[in-house]
């Protein structure tokens, strides 16, 4: 690291967050943010969201190394300057087709792997791997990797940083994966953990590497009315783009609220005020006060 290297590392790229901006300058979005037992919906600055100090720093031979610049140069800039992203930003998601598949795949896998939530999951697996009676069946090689991560937290950070700075680790799954673009008639939510896993019906082509895994899809809201869904497996690179109805869209929105309520590292729910009181009180929150500019909730005991 040099003295000029940035130290506030956004694990949710600002170019992505600007897609949900509510002002002409594209500098502000509306979110429900966690404050201990309280959750507050309000307008917030994009620059102040989705970052941690020195998040992409690990040690190499005792020397701090940052991959923040590499992430920007290798992944964020190429994606944000692509024709695919231009379609998304301009609201032309109906024009997304097979030619956009590589960028969409890279975007989903990248945003999946670069967050505190993903790091916490890796840490949990490292803890599980120490228990010979754990329900998740890990082979000897996996247990060795997780044991090394548990013994050396810096190794876990270095591995996460490597995944954040390249998509090479995900290339093997690209060819067979299925991508679906779902266009909604209502606003779709997102969060500062923008990619989440959502259960889907089982299919023999799915990749489920661990015994007992629930069939899932990776879901990413790419603009306020469009979702991209990725299913890993042997689907021969299938691609589809279709409209969904408001009822189906509301199911996705509920899942985002559920993720926000369940996981500590989902810190901001990106959402307009539409139906937020109904869905937050469906989750374990009570409404405390509401106005045009601020809605306050308290988590139930």
């Amino acid at each position: 690291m040099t003295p000029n290297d940035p130290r506030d590392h956004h694990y949710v790229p600002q170019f992505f967050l600007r897609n949900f901006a509510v002002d002409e300058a594209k500098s502000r979005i509306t979110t429900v943010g966690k404050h201990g037992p309280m959750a507050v919906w309000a307008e917030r600055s994009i620059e102040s969201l989705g970052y941690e100090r020195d998040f992409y720093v690990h040690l190499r031979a005792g020397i701090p190394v940052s991959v923040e610049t590499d992430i920007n140069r290798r992944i964020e800039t190429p994606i944000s300057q692509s024709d695919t992203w231009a379609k998304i930003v301009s609201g032309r998601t109906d024009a997304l087709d097979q030619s956009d598949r590589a960028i969409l795949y890279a975007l989903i896998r990248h945003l999946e792997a670069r967050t505190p939530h993903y790091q916490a999951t890796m840490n949990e697996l490292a803890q599980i791997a120490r228990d010979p009676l754990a329900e998740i069946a890990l082979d000897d090689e996996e247990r060795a990797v997780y044991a090394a991560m548990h013994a050396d937290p810096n190794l876990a950070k270095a591995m996460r940083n490597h995944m954040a700075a390249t998509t090479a680790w995900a290339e093997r799954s690209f060819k067979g994966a299925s991508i679906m673009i779902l266009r909604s008639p209502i606003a779709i939510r997102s969060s500062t953990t923008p990619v989440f896993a959502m259960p889907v019906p089982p299919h023999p082509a799915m990749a489920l590497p661990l015994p007992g895994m629930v069939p899932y899809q990776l879901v990413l809201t790419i603009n306020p009315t469009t979702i991209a869904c990725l299913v890993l497996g042997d689907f021969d690179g299938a691609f589809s783009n279709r409209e969904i109805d408001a009822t189906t869209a509301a199911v996705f929105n509920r899942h985002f609220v559920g993720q926000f309520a369940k996981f500590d590292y989902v810190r901001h729910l990106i959402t307009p005020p539409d139906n937020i009181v109904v869905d937050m009180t469906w989750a374990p929150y009570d409404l405390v006060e509401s106005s045009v500019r601020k809605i306050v909730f308290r988590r139930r005991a």
Side-chain angles (χ1 to χ4, degrees), residues 245-259:
D245 59 29
T247 300
T248 302
V251 171
F252 283 96
N253 277 341
R254 278 269 173 113
H255 271 272
F256 270 107
V257 173
Q259 295 274 325

Side-chain angles (χ1 to χ4, degrees), residues 39-93:
V40 180
W41 178 89
E43 189 175 302
R44 294 178 169 89
S45 166
I46 285 173
E47 189 176 359
S48 68
L49 294 176
Y51 77 89
E52 285 191 10
R53 190 74 164 172
D54 294 332
F55 185 64
Y56 296 117
V57 174
H58 62 276
L59 300 178
R60 184 181 299 156
I63 299 172
V65 175
S66 172
V67 299
E68 167 78 1
T69 301
D70 289 339
I71 292 171
N72 185 278
R73 175 175 56 86
R74 295 176 182 173
I75 300 177
E76 289 186 13
T77 297
I79 289 177
S80 64
Q81 294 182 356
S82 68
D83 291 341
T84 300
W85 192 249
K87 293 179 186 178
I88 293 169
V89 170
S90 64
R92 295 182 295 117
T93 53

Side-chain angles (χ1 to χ4, degrees), residues 8-29:
D8 289 341
H9 297 168
H10 283 82
Y11 53 85
V12 186
Q14 293 184 71
F15 85 84
F16 173 80
L17 292 176
R18 282 193 288 271
N19 236 13
F20 302 89
V22 296
D23 63 327
E24 289 188 11
K26 294 190 177 296
S27 63
R28 302 183 69 78
I29 58 177

